[in-house]
Amino acid sequence: MTSNEFQPNRALFWGLMCAQLATIVVFGLLVTGLAGVFAGLVAVWGGTISLIAYAWGGFQIWMHPGNRAPKRMATAAMRAEMGKIAIMLLLFWLTFSKVPEAREMKIAMVLLLGFLLAQVVGWIQVARLDGQTAGQDRHHD
């Protein structure tokens, strides 16, 4: 695979990371202004759980040099998904077990809302960029 063939994968990975990061920052600032610093930090942490998990999955699918071979793509996708789930579960478990305040309803809702918002923005961004890169792929054929 030449570097030009690798560009759509890089665009998907970095587009996902930037969209999620921007969402985390904006939502964190909004929650901080409305509910205070602790709630803002919790909102940021919820989005960061998604960001960390998607960084792992995106790297495995789009960036890892060994996983770009056609014969490894399916197993790479399964590893990516299993790793994302394991990372999310571990980070939520650590959060709820080590931060007692996170078990309060309001704080837990902010944490989950930050997580879900980052997830949804990530899905939208990948779908948008995947459509653009598919058009580029057809143009290069």
Side-chain angles (χ1 to χ4, degrees), residues 13 55-64 67-68 76-77 79-80:
F13 180 79
W56 161 263
F59 178 78
Q60 289 297 314
I61 293 173
W62 296 313
M63 302 295 282
H64 190 284
N67 292 341
R68 291 192 303 253
R79 263 193 321 276

Side-chain angles (χ1 to χ4, degrees), residues 1-17 54-55 57-70 73 76 125-126 129-130 132-134 136-137 140:
M1 183 176 276
T2 66
S3 63
N4 285 343
E5 294 169 354
F6 184 51
Q7 290 300 357
N9 293 338
R10 291 177 59 84
L12 284 168
F13 180 79
W14 290 113
L16 170 64
M17 295 295 102
Y54 271 80
F59 178 78
Q60 289 297 314
I61 293 173
W62 296 313
M63 302 295 282
H64 190 284
N67 292 341
R68 291 192 303 253
M73 286 180 167
Q125 181 71 348
V126 168
L129 290 173
D130 195 35
Q132 289 177 358
T133 59
Q136 291 174 356
D137 290 342
H140 289 290

Side-chain angles (χ1 to χ4, degrees), residues 98-120:
K98 301 297 181 188
V99 182
E101 296 86 0
R103 294 181 220 139
E104 296 172 14
M105 181 64 81
K106 179 180 135 183
I107 297 301
M109 287 175 49
V110 169
L111 176 78
L112 295 174
L113 187 57
F115 172 79
L116 289 173
L117 192 59
Q119 288 274 95
V120 170

